[in-house]
Amino acid sequence: MKKRQQEQGPLVTLEIDGYSSDGAGVARLDGQVVFVTGGIRGETCKVRLDKIGRSAIWGHAEQVTDPSSQRLTPDCPYYQQCGGCRFRHMAYAEELAAKRSRVEENIRRIGGLDLPVEEILGAAQPERYRNKAQFPVSTGPKIGFYRARSHQVIDVADCLLQSEAAARLRTAAKAWMAAHQITAYDERTGTGLVRHVYVRTNRQGESLFCLLVNGKGVPQEAALVDCLRRAEPGLVGVVLGVNEKKNNVILGDRYRTLWGQGFLMDTLCGLSFRLSVPSFYQINPDQTEILYRKAAEYAELTGGETVLDLYCGIGTIGLTMARQAGAVIGAEVVPEAVEDAKENAKRNGILNARFFCGDAGEAARRLAAEGLRPDVICVDPPRKGLAPDVVETVAAMGPKRIVYVSCDPATLARDLVRFDALGYHPQQATAVDLFPRTAHVETVVLLSKGEIDSKKVRVEFSLEDMDMSGFQKGATYEQIKAYVQEKHCLKVSSLYISQVKRKCGLDVGQNYNLSKKEDAKVPQCPPEKEAAIIEALKHFQMISW
């Protein structure tokens, strides 16, 4: 008996009027938001509805009846399969406009702040810009990238975002696996050997190869080295990385050099950096230089300032600022990165920079206790943004300026509100496109203490009838609503938020959102929305479990 073919959703005609955070087009159908994969603002499309939720619908553009002038024919054969690129169907100018709008909307909707994004600095070369490739491996062997929203590996011979050297080394590794019947790692069972193929390249055309494996070695190591060296003349080293844990983490915890050197040298902003396999380093050097120049511009260094660089990594931002500062102090939680930062300072003859290992919050508190009062504090946190204690400690140190470098507009908006409440107001913001063709965007924001020059105003008000829920530690109800809408495409009421907060043991006020009628039936928050609200409370660090 044949399986019945899965029924398709309805086909509707919609006009695209904007973009979602992941680059999909946004339309509306009978008042509901529809996220349209492959849609471009201003187009009319026939949209196949793939999933109909309670407050949002997901679909894809099956036919474009009135195409935008910004539409392009995708130039990558894997575009509809791979989950990497999101904007290859549109002109780069339109992609930049979408990203700039996304940053502004997050700051306005989640942060509730009126902060125009002055500009978005696009890439002169939006192709072949990545200096690091990480290819997952599966049985076949298949070496490529994951299909969107899955861990199914798509075999990709070449990627237009990666270097040609990465493509050649990937093909060579695949040939070696096939020739010697080397097994691929299976996430479900924890068996198999090869997990990832990793390639790092530099501006001089050199490359470093690493094979990440579920074991302490591989058969035919000499054959692997020979195969790779014949495929890539610029290869300077082959490294074996060991990860025997049953997880989906890419990098290992031990490394062994099979041939050549276990590191790569590169230049950034006129400085030389040594990069091992686990070193954090921005993947687009041209755009990184633009990003760092903007950060330095916001820092307004004149030669005598003390700069505190939190989340300093291997010291890239701090060392580029050291030439215009009096002193730079960097803090980073990864010990290996701190050692790299120290070596990078020594290698470049920079004597006014020091680095130490520590969590950002702990480091800031320790320095504050030592009496440090930096003129400028630069923060470049991971995607989850800053913990509340980091925001409080940074503000308590009283810097003249705070330069916030962010890779996630949503957490940036949340943190800007926290700084604003502590007297540090966002003054300027610039978006920088470090990751062309993907949904990611970087933002640099300058914060400083605002001074009121106008006449003093006396304001009298009563707290008795005032809803104080928005003044408690954490996010306001409107910020939670905006976050849930942005991340989960769900609309939640203040009633539902208060119900979930009570379950989590958070204070919502004695009578907040309770019905005045004794026998009133109060609607209860649906499980789907409760899960989204809980995720938002975690995101805003109001709960930790």
Side-chain angles (χ1 to χ4, degrees):
M1 186 175 175
K2 293 182 179 179
K3 287 185 178 180
R4 189 171 65 182
Q5 194 172 20
Q6 187 176 4
E7 294 182 7
Q8 288 187 320
L11 190 67
V12 295
T13 300
L14 299 174
E15 184 175 339
I16 312 298
D17 59 17
Y19 298 105
S20 69
S21 61
D22 65 354
V26 174
R28 280 162 180 79
L29 177 64
D30 298 330
Q32 274 193 299
V33 174
V34 184
F35 297 103
V36 183
T37 302
I40 298 178
R41 179 178 53 179
E43 289 185 334
T44 301
C45 303
K46 289 187 176 179
V47 177
R48 180 71 65 183
L49 304 184
D50 301 317
K51 178 184 175 183
I52 299 177
R54 293 182 179 179
S55 59
I57 302 171
W58 290 263
H60 65 275
E62 197 161 287
Q63 181 183 348
V64 182
T65 56
D66 185 13
S68 164
S69 61
Q70 301 297 309
R71 178 165 287 278
L72 299 178
T73 300
D75 53 359
C76 174
Y78 310 105
Y79 179 53
Q80 300 299 329
Q81 307 170 53
C82 170
C85 293
R86 300 309 300 262
F87 292 103
R88 201 161 282 283
H89 62 291
M90 68 174 67
Y92 187 44
E94 181 67 9
E95 175 187 339
L96 291 176
K99 289 179 175 179
R100 179 179 180 177
S101 175
R102 175 190 170 195
V103 176
E104 279 192 327
E105 287 190 15
N106 273 265
I107 292 173
R108 177 178 55 82
R109 292 179 58 220
I110 296 178
L113 299 170
D114 181 18
L115 178 67
V117 176
E118 297 174 350
E119 57 183 335
I120 180 166
L121 303 175
Q125 179 49 266
E127 312 292 352
R128 303 280 184 198
Y129 61 83
R130 289 188 64 97
N131 58 19
K132 184 175 71 173
Q134 297 176 143
F135 301 103
V137 181
S138 69
T139 302
K142 294 179 180 179
I143 303 179
F145 299 108
Y146 291 125
R147 187 184 296 275
R149 298 180 180 86
S150 80
H151 270 213
Q152 178 189 355
V153 176
I154 305 298
D155 201 41
V156 175
D158 189 19
C159 171
L160 296 177
L161 302 186
Q162 309 287 355
S163 68
E164 292 177 332
R168 290 191 289 267
L169 289 167
R170 169 252 172 221
T171 300
K174 181 180 178 182
W176 168 78
M177 287 185 68
H180 299 283
Q181 297 182 323
I182 308 297
T183 60
Y185 180 71
D186 187 330
E187 283 186 9
R188 296 168 299 176
T189 63
T191 60
L193 187 58
V194 179
R195 303 173 70 125
H196 280 82
V197 164
Y198 170 113
V199 180
R200 174 164 255 163
T201 56
N202 64 12
R203 286 171 155 179
Q204 290 73 47
E206 297 173 330
S207 55
L208 176 68
F209 178 94
C210 181
L211 193 73
L212 282 308
V213 298
N214 176 37
K216 295 177 177 61
V218 293
Q220 302 292 330
E221 288 183 359
L224 170 63
V225 170
D226 181 62
C227 187
L228 295 170
R229 291 183 67 185
R230 283 188 284 108
E232 181 49 45
L235 186 66
V236 300
V238 177
V239 176
L240 187 74
V242 176
N243 180 5
E244 297 180 285
K245 297 176 181 177
K246 191 174 180 179
N247 56 27
N248 58 5
V249 174
I250 295 175
L251 297 182
D253 50 16
R254 286 164 287 162
Y255 298 92
R256 177 164 58 91
T257 301
L258 303 183
W259 171 82
Q261 61 191 43
F263 61 90
L264 198 64
M265 301 300 300
D266 201 11
T267 56
L268 187 71
C269 299
L271 301 176
S272 176
F273 292 94
R274 173 178 164 137
L275 309 171
S276 58
V277 171
S279 298
F280 173 78
Y281 192 66
Q282 292 285 7
I283 53 88
N284 187 339
D286 292 345
Q287 287 299 96
T288 298
E289 290 185 338
I290 291 173
L291 176 72
Y292 288 0
R293 279 199 293 270
K294 180 57 69 172
E297 176 189 321
Y298 281 176
E300 299 180 29
L301 301 175
T302 61
E305 293 84 359
T306 297
V307 178
L308 174 58
D309 180 14
L310 296 178
Y311 308 92
C312 70
I314 62 171
T316 48
I317 291 182
L319 292 176
T320 58
M321 288 186 176
R323 292 170 293 187
Q324 289 82 42
V328 169
I329 302 168
E332 168 61 48
V333 73
V334 180
E336 295 83 0
V338 174
E339 292 307 310
D340 283 343
K342 292 176 180 178
E343 287 299 318
N344 287 328
K346 186 184 302 182
R347 182 177 299 106
N348 290 282
I350 296 174
L351 304 178
N352 63 335
R354 64 184 178 96
F355 301 91
F356 66 94
C357 187
D359 169 81
E362 294 172 0
R365 286 191 293 274
R366 168 182 157 185
L367 293 169
E370 293 176 1
L372 178 71
R373 293 294 179 265
D375 302 287
V376 176
I377 296 181
C378 182
V379 294
D380 184 9
R383 197 166 301 281
K384 65 180 181 181
L386 301 174
D389 67 308
V390 177
V391 174
E392 293 164 4
T393 305
V394 165
M397 295 179 85
K400 296 176 183 176
R401 290 172 294 281
I402 299 170
V403 179
Y404 193 138
V405 180
S406 167
C407 60
D408 185 272
T411 53
L412 169 67
R414 177 202 68 195
D415 292 343
L416 292 182
V417 175
R418 292 172 172 170
F419 275 120
D420 193 67
L422 297 172
Y424 280 90
H425 313 300
Q427 307 294 331
Q428 295 175 274
T430 299
V432 183
D433 190 23
L434 257 69
F435 315 101
R437 296 326 204 184
T438 77
H440 304 295
V441 61
E442 296 269 329
T443 311
V444 189
V445 178
L446 168 64
L447 301 99
S448 64
K449 284 192 172 183
E451 297 296 334
I452 301 174
D453 297 325
S454 57
K455 295 180 179 179
K456 293 182 180 178
V457 179
R458 179 180 176 84
V459 180
E460 294 184 359
F461 56 94
S462 171
L463 297 178
E464 290 183 2
D465 300 318
M466 191 173 181
D467 173 16
M468 297 298 292
S469 61
F471 292 86
Q472 62 188 353
K473 186 175 182 180
T476 66
Y477 279 68
E478 293 307 314
Q479 289 168 341
I480 294 171
K481 291 177 186 178
Y483 178 85
V484 171
Q485 176 69 40
E486 172 77 15
K487 292 293 184 180
H488 300 279
C489 309
L490 295 171
K491 291 183 178 179
V492 294
S493 65
S494 296
L495 172 62
Y496 288 164
I497 295 172
S498 66
Q499 289 174 353
V500 176
K501 287 177 72 176
R502 283 193 181 93
K503 284 187 178 182
C504 295
L506 298 176
D507 181 27
V508 295
Q510 187 175 0
N511 297 309
Y512 188 71
N513 274 325
L514 296 180
S515 174
K516 302 297 188 293
K517 299 179 180 179
E518 293 183 5
D519 59 346
K521 292 184 178 180
V522 180
Q524 296 300 303
C525 183
E528 180 185 18
K529 293 187 177 183
E530 180 175 327
I533 293 169
I534 288 175
E535 196 278 327
L537 297 179
K538 292 179 182 178
H539 169 82
F540 287 110
Q541 299 174 356
M542 298 169 72
I543 58 175
S544 60
W545 46 270

